[in-house]
PDB file of all heavy atoms in Angstrom:
ATOM      1  N   MET A  54       0.217  -2.976   7.650  1.00 54.00           N
ATOM      2  CA  MET A  54       1.065  -2.962   6.470  1.00 54.00           C
ATOM      3  C   MET A  54       0.373  -3.804   5.406  1.00 54.00           C
ATOM      4  O   MET A  54       0.337  -5.026   5.496  1.00 54.00           O
ATOM      5  CB  MET A  54       2.443  -3.566   6.783  1.00 54.00           C
ATOM      6  CG  MET A  54       3.290  -2.674   7.691  1.00 54.00           C
ATOM      7  SD  MET A  54       3.466  -0.981   7.078  1.00 54.00           S
ATOM      8  CE  MET A  54       4.504  -1.266   5.676  1.00 54.00           C
ATOM      9  N   LEU A  55      -0.212  -3.142   4.442  1.00 58.00           N
ATOM     10  CA  LEU A  55      -0.882  -3.906   3.400  1.00 58.00           C
ATOM     11  C   LEU A  55       0.171  -4.586   2.538  1.00 58.00           C
ATOM     12  O   LEU A  55       1.248  -4.032   2.319  1.00 58.00           O
ATOM     13  CB  LEU A  55      -1.732  -2.987   2.540  1.00 58.00           C
ATOM     14  CG  LEU A  55      -2.904  -2.296   3.232  1.00 58.00           C
ATOM     15  CD1 LEU A  55      -3.664  -1.449   2.235  1.00 58.00           C
ATOM     16  CD2 LEU A  55      -3.849  -3.314   3.841  1.00 58.00           C
ATOM     17  N   GLN A  56      -0.201  -5.750   2.086  1.00 55.00           N
ATOM     18  CA  GLN A  56       0.696  -6.492   1.195  1.00 55.00           C
ATOM     19  C   GLN A  56       1.105  -5.606   0.015  1.00 55.00           C
ATOM     20  O   GLN A  56       0.265  -4.904  -0.544  1.00 55.00           O
ATOM     21  CB  GLN A  56      -0.135  -7.612   0.588  1.00 55.00           C
ATOM     22  CG  GLN A  56       0.325  -8.986   0.834  1.00 55.00           C
ATOM     23  CD  GLN A  56      -0.720  -9.871   0.186  1.00 55.00           C
ATOM     24  OE1 GLN A  56      -1.863  -9.929   0.628  1.00 55.00           O
ATOM     25  NE2 GLN A  56      -0.328 -10.528  -0.888  1.00 55.00           N
ATOM     26  N   GLU A  57       2.328  -5.641  -0.371  1.00 60.00           N
ATOM     27  CA  GLU A  57       2.795  -4.871  -1.527  1.00 60.00           C
ATOM     28  C   GLU A  57       2.036  -5.325  -2.781  1.00 60.00           C
ATOM     29  O   GLU A  57       1.723  -6.493  -2.945  1.00 60.00           O
ATOM     30  CB  GLU A  57       4.273  -5.178  -1.767  1.00 60.00           C
ATOM     31  CG  GLU A  57       5.218  -4.238  -1.057  1.00 60.00           C
ATOM     32  CD  GLU A  57       5.093  -2.805  -1.539  1.00 60.00           C
ATOM     33  OE1 GLU A  57       5.446  -2.555  -2.699  1.00 60.00           O
ATOM     34  OE2 GLU A  57       4.637  -1.954  -0.745  1.00 60.00           O
ATOM     35  N   LYS A  58       1.742  -4.401  -3.628  1.00 73.00           N
ATOM     36  CA  LYS A  58       1.167  -4.704  -4.937  1.00 73.00           C
ATOM     37  C   LYS A  58      -0.083  -5.567  -4.843  1.00 73.00           C
ATOM     38  O   LYS A  58      -0.213  -6.595  -5.512  1.00 73.00           O
ATOM     39  CB  LYS A  58       2.209  -5.393  -5.823  1.00 73.00           C
ATOM     40  CG  LYS A  58       2.272  -4.717  -7.186  1.00 73.00           C
ATOM     41  CD  LYS A  58       3.216  -5.358  -8.139  1.00 73.00           C
ATOM     42  CE  LYS A  58       2.978  -4.779  -9.518  1.00 73.00           C
ATOM     43  NZ  LYS A  58       3.630  -5.410 -10.594  1.00 73.00           N
ATOM     44  N   GLN A  59      -0.972  -5.207  -3.951  1.00 91.00           N
ATOM     45  CA  GLN A  59      -2.260  -5.915  -3.893  1.00 91.00           C
ATOM     46  C   GLN A  59      -2.964  -5.757  -5.240  1.00 91.00           C
ATOM     47  O   GLN A  59      -3.051  -4.634  -5.741  1.00 91.00           O
ATOM     48  CB  GLN A  59      -3.129  -5.282  -2.823  1.00 91.00           C
ATOM     49  CG  GLN A  59      -2.830  -5.731  -1.428  1.00 91.00           C
ATOM     50  CD  GLN A  59      -4.039  -5.503  -0.527  1.00 91.00           C
ATOM     51  OE1 GLN A  59      -5.134  -5.230  -1.008  1.00 91.00           O
ATOM     52  NE2 GLN A  59      -3.839  -5.632   0.749  1.00 91.00           N
ATOM     53  N   PRO A  60      -3.525  -6.805  -5.782  1.00 95.00           N
ATOM     54  CA  PRO A  60      -4.081  -6.681  -7.141  1.00 95.00           C
ATOM     55  C   PRO A  60      -5.318  -5.796  -7.237  1.00 95.00           C
ATOM     56  O   PRO A  60      -5.617  -5.295  -8.312  1.00 95.00           O
ATOM     57  CB  PRO A  60      -4.429  -8.126  -7.511  1.00 95.00           C
ATOM     58  CG  PRO A  60      -4.521  -8.865  -6.224  1.00 95.00           C
ATOM     59  CD  PRO A  60      -3.586  -8.175  -5.276  1.00 95.00           C
ATOM     60  N   ARG A  62      -6.066  -3.013  -5.184  1.00 96.00           N
ATOM     61  CA  ARG A  62      -5.909  -1.602  -4.805  1.00 96.00           C
ATOM     62  C   ARG A  62      -5.970  -0.773  -6.085  1.00 96.00           C
ATOM     63  O   ARG A  62      -5.496  -1.193  -7.140  1.00 96.00           O
ATOM     64  CB  ARG A  62      -4.551  -1.332  -4.137  1.00 96.00           C
ATOM     65  CG  ARG A  62      -4.363  -1.888  -2.762  1.00 96.00           C
ATOM     66  CD  ARG A  62      -5.095  -1.199  -1.668  1.00 96.00           C
ATOM     67  NE  ARG A  62      -4.666   0.140  -1.344  1.00 96.00           N
ATOM     68  CZ  ARG A  62      -5.255   0.878  -0.395  1.00 96.00           C
ATOM     69  NH1 ARG A  62      -6.282   0.391   0.297  1.00 96.00           N
ATOM     70  NH2 ARG A  62      -4.837   2.085  -0.139  1.00 96.00           N
ATOM     71  N   ASP A 356      -9.277  -9.958   4.810  1.00 94.00           N
ATOM     72  CA  ASP A 356      -7.895 -10.336   4.502  1.00 94.00           C
ATOM     73  C   ASP A 356      -7.135  -9.212   3.810  1.00 94.00           C
ATOM     74  O   ASP A 356      -5.981  -8.957   4.112  1.00 94.00           O
ATOM     75  CB  ASP A 356      -7.870 -11.554   3.566  1.00 94.00           C
ATOM     76  CG  ASP A 356      -8.136 -12.821   4.343  1.00 94.00           C
ATOM     77  OD1 ASP A 356      -8.223 -12.740   5.586  1.00 94.00           O
ATOM     78  OD2 ASP A 356      -8.285 -13.875   3.699  1.00 94.00           O
ATOM     79  N   LYS A 357      -7.801  -8.544   2.875  1.00 94.00           N
ATOM     80  CA  LYS A 357      -7.046  -7.510   2.152  1.00 94.00           C
ATOM     81  C   LYS A 357      -6.896  -6.245   2.994  1.00 94.00           C
ATOM     82  O   LYS A 357      -6.062  -5.396   2.708  1.00 94.00           O
ATOM     83  CB  LYS A 357      -7.615  -7.249   0.760  1.00 94.00           C
ATOM     84  CG  LYS A 357      -8.943  -6.592   0.642  1.00 94.00           C
ATOM     85  CD  LYS A 357      -9.369  -6.651  -0.838  1.00 94.00           C
ATOM     86  CE  LYS A 357     -10.545  -5.798  -1.231  1.00 94.00           C
ATOM     87  NZ  LYS A 357     -11.661  -5.661  -0.355  1.00 94.00           N
TER      88      LYS A 357
END
Side-chain angles (χ1 to χ4, degrees):
M54 290 307 290
L55 296 181
Q56 239 177 293
E57 268 297 293
K58 229 183 169 190
Q59 279 202 12
R62 289 287 292 179
D356 282 354
K357 69 189 192 321

